[in-house]
Amino acid sequence: MRPVRRCASVARNDGTVTDPDSFAALLTPEGQALLDALHDHDPADELATATRLRRDHPASLVSAALGQARLRQRAAAKFGADARRMYFTPNGVEQSTRTAVAEHRAARLAALGVRSVADLCAGIGGDALALARAGIRVLAVDRDPLACAAARANAEALGLTDLIEVRCADVTGTDTAGCDAVFVDPARRTKARGGRIFDPEAYSPPLSWAIGAARTAPYAALKIAPGVPHDALPEDAETEWISDGGDVKEAVLWFGPTGAASGAPEAVRPGGRRATLLPAGDSLLGADLPDPEPGPVGDWLYEPDGAVIRAHLVADVARQVGGRLIDPTIAYVTADALTPTPYATAYAITDVLPFHVKKLRALLREREVGVAVIKKRGSAVEPEELRKKLKLGGRNSCTVFLTRVAGAPAMLLGHPANAQVTSGR
Ligand SMILES: C[S@@+](CC[C@H](N)C(=O)[O-])C[C@H]1O[C@@H](n2cnc3c(N)ncnc32)[C@H](O)[C@@H]1O
């Protein structure tokens, strides 16, 4: 017999609410009590939990609360402890800005003297909340009524209603006059298949509209995909690539008055390229250096952070560490000495060899390497395929770089500068 499918009037099959009225039910005392009861619930026990709660509460509300609890758990990676008190939509969890990045941007706007921001495409309020916490008044605009309901609930939950006004409207008709700055975070994914949109003109609203809106405000920040081609960057904007914990999260186009507060670190540098590494907040502004010369692999290899690579600032890092490239087309820097930099991870290099699987296997065996971190840049070899062939075993560890040196496939062996050396040199 086919199982009878339960129908929830206020929630879709996975329990996630899809309309503002159903969302509002979560904000009633009964909805709140359910959400409180689900704070630490184990998703593995969901069926038993749902059955128990449905004895005392409407099935649709239980289903919606369980859906919201799931979203909160997913959102914890972005919002930390706040996620337990916040409200999400499925799109909202995915598309919202993580707290670390939103706080960094809000702090820069505050340092620029911005006191009010039109947050266009505010979603569930990831950025609006950080802006308000930085003391900035926010007009948060989104055309999705459910996202607006979540943004309002989030402002309330985090005690920021005095600073955040949520308006459900199309941003293209929103008057931003009177705001010190405009922030635009366009939707970058198709709703139908959930895939990412790469063409900036396919953003909603299109990037050209957002740039036009940015140019009407004293200051503006536009969030864009970090893979944006450099030749698509407007000349009057500074572009900042931001990584968090080593992962590149986004790029931001900054617009501001030319020459204003130009000595200050937060000042917008039109045409500038910047890499900012969170959580520490180190920020490297490019000096328009020519590509570094390639040269022989030295005792140290530097792997630049992804934000540095995306911002095309490898030359700046090479200059910092007195280094050179191992190959004109590869973003690995090498030097003869260790010069600590926040912008690259340094490795002590023990071996530089032409790529050869059998030779590598023999070397790692001889050195009793049981754990190998395999990194690749400019190599077609699949690390996991290679790992199977290496049949590793032993008490030592090693980092293997599959790359090119002076145009030829090469393998470099070493270990991180801050690691204890466990393999022989
Ligand atoms: C990437 S999300 C914003 C995320 C937000 N910054 C946050 O951190 O929570 C993009 C949002 O743009 C909204 N959007 C897209 N086109 C819009 C338009 N023309 N007018 C208003 N909102 C729009 C979508 O509804 C979606 O919520």
Side-chain angles (χ1 to χ4, degrees):
M1 202 174 80
R2 286 172 61 165
V4 179
R5 211 163 136 193
R6 272 174 189 274
C7 240
S9 59
V10 297
R12 68 182 195 198
N13 289 344
D14 64 0
T16 317
V17 293
T18 53
D19 68 279
D21 288 344
S22 312
F23 182 83
L26 289 173
L27 305 179
T28 61
E30 188 177 12
Q32 294 289 292
L34 273 172
L35 285 175
D36 285 349
L38 290 169
H39 259 157
D40 297 309
H41 108 100
D42 180 352
D45 296 337
E46 190 160 307
L47 196 60
T49 308
T51 308
R52 179 172 49 78
L53 293 174
R54 278 181 189 139
R55 287 187 205 122
D56 301 318
H57 305 280
S60 56
L61 188 57
V62 170
S63 181
L66 279 165
Q68 192 56 232
R70 272 197 300 274
L71 293 177
R72 285 178 168 181
Q73 284 178 351
R74 264 171 57 200
K78 280 187 175 179
F79 293 95
D82 283 343
R84 289 166 66 93
R85 296 187 283 159
M86 289 174 64
Y87 297 86
F88 300 95
T89 64
N91 280 342
V93 173
E94 236 184 88
Q95 301 189 359
S96 53
T97 307
R98 59 187 47 240
T99 301
V101 178
E103 280 179 348
H104 160 71
R105 188 167 27 244
R108 186 170 179 189
L109 284 164
L112 286 166
V114 166
R115 295 289 166 260
S116 60
V117 169
D119 179 1
L120 306 179
C121 299
I124 56 100
D127 286 283
L129 298 167
L131 290 164
R133 277 180 165 163
I136 295 172
R137 265 187 306 111
V138 188
L139 170 63
V141 187
D142 203 287
R143 67 179 174 191
D144 176 356
L146 193 59
C148 289
R152 279 192 198 99
N154 286 333
E156 177 81 37
L158 300 184
L160 296 165
T161 48
D162 284 356
L163 285 166
I164 300 178
E165 177 196 338
V166 178
R167 189 179 296 171
C168 194
D170 195 302
V171 296
T172 56
T174 302
D175 181 5
T176 60
C179 290
D180 297 340
V182 161
F183 170 64
V184 195
D185 181 5
R188 280 190 267 144
R189 296 176 177 100
T190 51
K191 268 202 167 169
R193 287 183 290 156
R196 284 202 175 236
I197 297 174
F198 287 104
D199 173 8
E201 283 314 291
Y203 288 2
S204 177
L207 186 61
S208 54
W209 179 87
I211 290 174
R215 288 181 178 144
T216 65
Y219 286 100
L222 311 186
K223 181 169 146 185
I224 55 172
V228 60
H230 280 230
D231 56 14
L233 300 173
E235 282 177 7
D236 54 339
E238 173 196 311
T239 312
E240 178 183 29
W241 282 263
I242 304 173
S243 66
D244 188 19
D247 291 331
V248 184
K249 296 300 178 192
E250 63 176 64
V252 192
L253 297 177
W254 287 92
F255 295 80
T258 322
S262 54
E266 68 277 2
V268 176
R269 308 294 201 295
R273 285 172 286 130
R274 179 189 289 281
T276 298
L277 280 53
L278 300 177
D282 295 292
S283 198
L284 178 65
L285 183 69
D288 272 329
L289 300 177
D291 288 342
E293 286 299 313
V297 180
D299 286 346
W300 297 92
L301 187 79
Y302 296 84
E303 182 185 33
D305 184 273
V308 168
I309 295 174
R310 293 278 199 185
H312 295 184
L313 299 182
V314 174
D316 299 69
V317 170
R319 176 176 280 186
Q320 275 189 359
V321 303
R324 53 200 178 262
L325 293 181
I326 62 166
D327 182 282
T329 62
I330 304 288
Y332 281 139
V333 172
T334 185
D336 304 321
L338 174 62
T339 308
T341 167
Y343 301 109
T345 308
Y347 295 84
I349 294 301
T350 54
D351 304 84
V352 184
L353 301 157
F355 179 70
H356 197 279
V357 178
K358 280 188 186 159
K359 172 79 182 153
L360 181 60
R361 185 166 57 215
L363 245 170
L364 296 182
R365 273 211 188 143
E366 182 189 306
R367 294 180 187 174
E368 296 180 45
V369 172
V371 179
V373 176
I374 303 176
K375 292 173 168 281
K376 70 166 196 163
R377 191 161 287 165
S379 165
V381 177
E382 280 307 323
E384 286 322 305
E385 290 300 308
L386 176 65
R387 188 184 300 284
K388 283 181 209 152
K389 292 181 190 159
L390 292 177
K391 300 190 174 72
L392 299 169
R395 62 197 163 85
N396 295 324
S397 60
C398 176
T399 305
V400 178
F401 297 89
L402 308 176
T403 185
R404 277 199 307 275
V405 173
M411 49 193 196
L412 276 53
L413 273 57
H415 51 80
N418 56 2
Q420 209 181 352
V421 183
T422 53
S423 59
R425 265 196 96 155

